[in-house]
Amino acid sequence: MKSFLLVLLGFVLGGIVTFILASGVMTGIGAGVGIATGLQAGACLTAEAAKEQGYIDSEQVADLLRAAGRQMASADAPPDSGPPIGDAECAEVVAKLKAASAQ
């Protein structure tokens, strides 16, 4: 009976410690996904607004987003590096944001 209680206590303590340690990792992962999604949405909203104001045209959206990505990067990035996102993808992101805000 004593060994059963010790095993049960070990399971409970192990579960608590695992929850405490894993919750920090999961929070970090969730924050990373949220930050990445927010950055993409903000960049696309800015690009769409610049396009509507006539500052850039549809062909320049990808260049604008790559330049913004290079400014955020901690190291020098090649001029053509960056996510493969352009005008069509940004229009889709903005459409999803508008649909979500209409609900």
Side-chain angles (χ1 to χ4, degrees):
M1 183 68 176
K2 183 178 176 182
S3 62
F4 173 74
L5 291 176
L6 287 174
V7 169
L8 186 63
L9 179 65
F11 280 140
V12 170
L13 289 177
I16 292 171
V17 169
T18 300
F19 178 75
I20 290 171
L21 294 177
S23 65
V25 171
M26 294 303 164
T27 301
I29 291 171
V33 169
I35 290 168
T37 303
L39 281 173
Q40 181 185 21
C44 284
L45 285 170
T46 302
E48 288 295 313
K51 195 169 69 171
E52 285 178 10
Q53 294 292 319
Y55 296 127
I56 61 172
D57 57 18
S58 297
E59 292 80 30
Q60 294 172 314
V61 170
D63 293 335
L64 175 74
L65 295 175
R66 277 195 296 272
R70 280 193 306 272
Q71 286 191 356
M72 288 188 327
S74 60
D76 291 333
D80 59 348
S81 68
I85 188 167
D87 185 45
E89 292 85 1
C90 270
E92 183 179 328
V93 169
V94 171
K96 286 179 183 178
L97 288 171
K98 287 181 180 179
S101 68
Q103 293 179 351

